[in-house]
Amino acid sequence: MYRQCFDAGRQAMANTPEKKTFSQHAGIMAVLAGAIPANQEQSVLRRLMTDTTLSQATFYYRFYLNQALKKAGMANQYYGQLQPWRDMLAMGLTTFAENPEPTRSDCHAWSASPNYDFLATICGIVPAQPGFARVKIAPAPGELQQIKGSMPHPLGNITVSLLRKGAHGITASITLPAGLDGVFVWEGKEKALHSGQQDFDIGVF
């Protein structure tokens, strides 16, 4: 796929080997499928997010864009990608539309991925083992200085309260239900998590 469809000059993945049409979709799927070399993923995604000549992903497909950002180590870009949802709220929508205006599908579940990503990406709460037997918390706050969130788990609620400290530090208060443990990840550093409440700082400068 990479050899046949990647255009090095455009730093973009074509839709077909003829390289006549290009889209965000092709680049996103190429990153997720591992068809882009790992050392090129970030440059391809940065170009993809700024090149308006590419066919643009609509609201539902931006879920896959975010998964590609996470795979490439760019999860902190997520918060800055929420402008389409801010625009919908500014128009007075109380549910999310299927496509940008003009659209008449104003209640579209496929566009509701922020409901997932606020917890799984910004708070960073994801399963660390099958069946959510352990938890991994790797927050990606982007521009946010403070985060609070709670995710239901079969054993009880997982709660996080995070406060940025300087350029690289974070103060965390994490509560895991009885019987659940896991790991907290911040800028390459890991801290073991146990059941109950735990408060700690990482990389405070």
Side-chain angles (χ1 to χ4, degrees):
M1 179 180 181
Y2 178 80
R3 188 169 58 252
Q4 292 180 319
C5 296
F6 190 74
D7 187 309
R10 294 190 63 167
Q11 282 291 293
M13 186 67 72
N15 294 325
T16 66
E18 290 76 21
K19 299 181 183 177
K20 293 182 178 179
T21 60
F22 295 80
S23 65
Q24 287 186 325
H25 310 70
I28 291 166
M29 282 295 115
V31 169
L32 288 176
I36 300 287
N39 64 354
Q40 290 182 252
E41 288 178 344
Q42 291 195 3
S43 62
V44 168
L45 287 169
R46 287 192 188 97
R47 181 66 176 267
L48 179 153
M49 290 188 293
T50 57
D51 187 349
T52 57
T53 68
L54 303 177
S55 296
Q56 300 291 294
T58 53
F59 304 141
Y60 91 91
Y61 211 89
R62 282 174 170 263
F63 171 81
Y64 300 103
L65 169 60
N66 187 48
Q67 299 312 301
L69 291 172
K70 291 174 77 169
K71 181 177 183 294
M74 300 171 65
N76 273 309
Q77 299 290 318
Y78 174 70
Y79 184 74
Q81 298 297 309
L82 289 173
Q83 191 57 46
W85 284 270
R86 296 186 182 100
D87 292 343
M88 284 185 267
L89 294 173
M91 288 191 299
L93 297 186
T94 56
T95 56
F96 294 134
E98 179 178 9
N99 294 305
E101 287 291 300
T103 181
R104 290 278 60 84
S105 178
D106 291 343
C107 185
H108 209 74
W110 283 357
S111 301
S113 59
N115 290 328
Y116 168 79
D117 280 310
F118 279 8
L119 292 171
T121 300
I122 293 178
C123 290
I125 308 169
V126 294
Q129 286 183 356
F132 226 141
R134 298 186 76 240
V135 63
K136 175 182 176 182
I137 301 178
E143 305 156 36
L144 296 173
Q145 297 300 306
Q146 186 173 9
I147 302 168
K148 291 185 178 181
S150 180
M151 176 184 282
H153 182 278
L155 297 175
N157 286 338
I158 299 167
T159 63
V160 301
S161 179
L162 308 171
L163 181 65
R164 295 292 302 269
K165 294 289 187 180
H168 301 287
I170 195 165
T171 294
S173 179
I174 310 289
T175 303
L176 302 185
L180 183 67
D181 62 17
V183 62
F184 185 88
V185 181
W186 179 256
E187 295 199 354
K189 300 180 179 70
E190 294 190 0
K191 180 173 178 58
L193 299 174
H194 55 78
S195 299
Q197 182 175 333
Q198 48 239 280
D199 303 308
F200 53 88
D201 297 327
I202 295 182
V204 176
F205 299 106

